[in-house]
Amino acid sequence: MTQWQLLQGDVLLGELSEYGCDQPFFLARFAPGPGWEKVRPLFEALAALRGPDPDGSRTVAVVKPLLDLGLTVVPVSGGRSLLRVFKDCWLRIDGSEARLRY
C-alpha cells in the first residue's frame, strides 16, 4: 500500500499509510509530523462538518483556509507526482484516520 507525506512547502505536517479502500476514497492511518499543530484546528473543523449544505457555503468556509495553505500530498516511494490538496485531491483527516480521493 502507498505511503504519503502531507507537506506545506518543505514542512512535514504528517504521514499517511494507506490500508484500504472505501470507493471513491483510499483509507489511511495518519501520523502527525512536526508542523501538524499549526493546521490541526483547520482539519478538525473539516472533520466536524456534518449534515446538509445545500449551497456549499459551509463547506467553502471550512475548506478555503486549508486550500490557501498550498498543501501537497507526496508519495514516499516516488513514482507519482505530488497532489495539491483540494485542487488535485480531497483529503479529510479525523484523528488518526484519513481519507484521500484523487
Side-chain angles (χ1 to χ4, degrees):
M1 296 279 174
T2 306
Q3 291 195 315
W4 306 83
Q5 289 184 327
L6 175 61
L7 303 169
Q8 183 181 24
D10 57 1
V11 176
L12 178 64
L13 303 179
E15 296 181 324
L16 300 110
S17 299
E18 184 183 322
Y19 68 85
C21 187
D22 182 14
Q23 283 294 338
F25 290 93
F26 292 95
L27 306 174
R29 304 271 184 251
F30 177 73
W36 176 244
E37 284 305 310
K38 181 175 128 185
V39 299
R40 182 180 53 80
L42 299 174
F43 276 98
E44 286 177 346
L46 178 60
L49 191 62
R50 301 271 190 259
D53 186 12
D55 68 356
S57 61
R58 291 185 322 128
T59 302
V60 168
V62 170
V63 170
K64 179 79 168 90
L66 284 163
L67 180 63
D68 291 344
L69 293 174
L71 305 178
T72 57
V73 178
V74 181
V76 172
S77 63
R80 282 194 177 105
S81 59
L82 66 86
L83 299 171
R84 297 168 300 169
V85 177
F86 302 115
K87 289 185 178 183
D88 303 320
C89 67
W90 182 265
L91 177 63
R92 186 179 193 110
I93 299 172
D94 189 1
S96 64
E97 295 292 317
R99 298 170 71 84
L100 177 67
R101 178 181 181 178
Y102 57 93

